[in-house]
Amino acid sequence: MEAKIKAEILKILGDPTRLRVAHLLVASPKSLCVCEIVDALKLLQYRVSKSLVMLRRAGLVDVDRNGTWGYYRPKTEDETNHVLFDFVKEYCSGEPFDADLAGLSKRLVLREGEKCVVGFLPEKELQKLLRKKGVAA
Amino acid sequence: MEAKIKAEILKILGDPTRLRVAHLLVASPKSLCVCEIVDALKLLQYRVSKSLVMLRRAGLVDVDRNGTWGYYRPKTEDETNHVLFDFVKEYCSGEPFDADLAGLSKRLVLREGEKCVVGFLPEKELQKLLRKKGVAA
DNA sequence: ATATTATATGCATATATGAGCATATAGACA
DNA sequence: TGTCTATATGCTCATATATGCATATAATAT
């Protein structure tokens, strides 16, 4: 039954953590690795990791692995997903989604050559590195 | 937290029965009473009734009561819902959603003066009444 | 080799949810 | 009043899910 699958997918998005992760990926112009998502959303690593597993199982996201780092992105190859992604982008406005995106922009400053080169950091450490890069915290 | 509420709403839609009911209401040009939904979707009355309660609690649908009959409709007064409804309409294509709408059209033939005048019917009874009205089953 | 780091996962437990059935409520009408 | 009938809801059970923690895995760096 097709309704079961479609409902299943909505159920996956029906959790605050997963919705924030999905929204971040959908709204981000770049693939993101787990540590970047952790820092942007300020969530525990295992929570993000588990969310990504479920989003992947649901066929919503995919990962390009690059050594230890995994770069996640919305699975746009699947035509069916476009409607869903457009919706997520429009539906997830306001807080905390805006703050999530702001957190992500900051964190992405730490990339070097389009690559993630640090893991997830305690807030203080992140601020310090950002100052070093000359970015206002 | 706003994400919690938005996720909550998606979770409500994340169940096949509720998704079918929601889609039927969103796609229907008219408010529908419970018995019409039951016949269109061929589900048990208490399942439809419970789904409607949850959709109502989530602020997605509303009811105009008319004696024993309750006419349900998507709650469009809530601006936030428009994005959601547009999505549901687009996302819920194919089966069983198309068949649900077809079942609804047939059932709506039984209305008299825009009002529902019969409760939910066993399949045979429904067919008989439709033939009486001169509609191909 | 060893240590470190990024990411994934197993497990225990508490809680939530769905399915199914019986029954309550309340309006309509004889 | 009493009986239909449309709709709502209470209850129980089985299953599913979320949470939190500890730890596994596997690539990298020293």
Side-chain angles (χ1 to χ4, degrees):
Chain A
M1 213 207 250
E2 182 74 0
K4 205 170 156 187
I5 297 165
K6 295 202 162 160
E8 198 68 39
I9 288 172
L10 292 183
K11 186 146 84 178
I12 294 291
L13 293 176
D15 166 272
T17 302
R18 292 193 296 262
L19 185 58
R20 286 173 68 195
V21 171
H23 168 254
L24 199 74
L25 287 172
V26 167
S28 166
K30 315 185 183 207
S31 301
L32 304 175
C33 69
V34 181
C35 54
E36 291 172 328
I37 300 174
V38 168
D39 276 3
L41 307 186
K42 297 183 196 325
L43 292 171
L44 291 168
Q45 177 267 325
Y46 68 82
R47 292 254 255 149
V48 171
S49 205
K50 279 182 181 174
S51 294
L52 286 168
V53 168
M54 299 188 73
L55 290 169
R56 206 144 74 93
R57 274 209 203 114
L60 299 181
V61 313
D62 215 343
V63 61
D64 301 315
R65 211 161 277 294
N66 193 326
T68 319
W69 273 268
Y71 288 86
Y72 284 86
R73 56 180 175 71
K75 193 172 180 180
T76 45
E77 303 91 296
D78 214 325
E79 285 288 329
T80 330
N81 285 340
H82 290 146
V83 174
L84 203 63
F85 295 158
D86 287 347
F87 163 69
V88 168
K89 237 182 294 187
E90 204 174 345
Y91 187 62
C92 298
S93 56
E95 292 310 329
F97 305 105
D98 292 350
D100 291 348
L101 289 177
L104 178 63
S105 305
K106 276 186 197 159
R107 167 70 213 222
L108 287 180
V109 169
L110 301 185
R111 282 198 177 183
E112 282 172 24
E114 293 298 301
K115 294 273 171 189
C116 174
V117 291
V118 291
F120 65 90
L121 307 161
E123 185 62 19
K124 280 196 178 176
E125 203 60 34
L126 205 160
Q127 298 298 336
K128 207 164 84 182
L129 284 177
L130 280 174
R131 265 193 308 271
K132 225 181 212 168
K133 286 259 181 181
V135 176
Chain B
M1 218 208 247
E2 182 75 1
K4 205 169 157 185
I5 296 165
K6 294 203 161 157
E8 199 67 39
I9 287 171
L10 292 182
K11 185 146 86 180
I12 294 293
L13 293 175
D15 167 271
T17 303
R18 292 193 297 261
L19 185 58
R20 286 174 67 196
V21 171
H23 169 254
L24 199 75
L25 287 172
V26 167
S28 167
K30 315 185 182 207
S31 302
L32 304 175
C33 68
V34 181
C35 54
E36 291 171 328
I37 300 174
V38 168
D39 276 3
L41 307 186
K42 298 185 195 322
L43 293 171
L44 292 168
Q45 176 266 324
Y46 67 81
R47 291 252 257 150
V48 171
S49 206
K50 280 182 179 172
S51 294
L52 287 167
V53 168
M54 299 187 73
L55 291 170
R56 206 144 73 94
R57 275 209 202 115
L60 298 180
V61 313
D62 215 342
V63 62
D64 301 316
R65 211 160 277 295
N66 195 326
T68 319
W69 275 267
Y71 289 86
Y72 284 85
R73 55 180 175 73
K75 193 171 180 179
T76 44
E77 303 91 296
D78 215 323
E79 286 288 331
T80 329
N81 285 341
H82 290 143
V83 174
L84 204 63
F85 295 157
D86 287 348
F87 163 69
V88 168
K89 237 182 294 185
E90 205 175 345
Y91 187 61
C92 298
S93 55
E95 293 311 329
F97 305 105
D98 293 350
D100 291 348
L101 288 176
L104 177 64
S105 306
K106 276 186 195 159
R107 168 68 214 222
L108 286 180
V109 170
L110 301 184
R111 280 197 177 186
E112 282 172 24
E114 293 297 301
K115 294 272 171 189
C116 174
V117 292
V118 292
F120 65 91
L121 307 162
E123 185 62 19
K124 282 196 177 176
E125 202 60 35
L126 204 160
Q127 299 296 338
K128 207 165 83 182
L129 282 176
L130 281 174
R131 266 193 308 270
K132 224 183 214 169
K133 286 260 180 181
V135 176

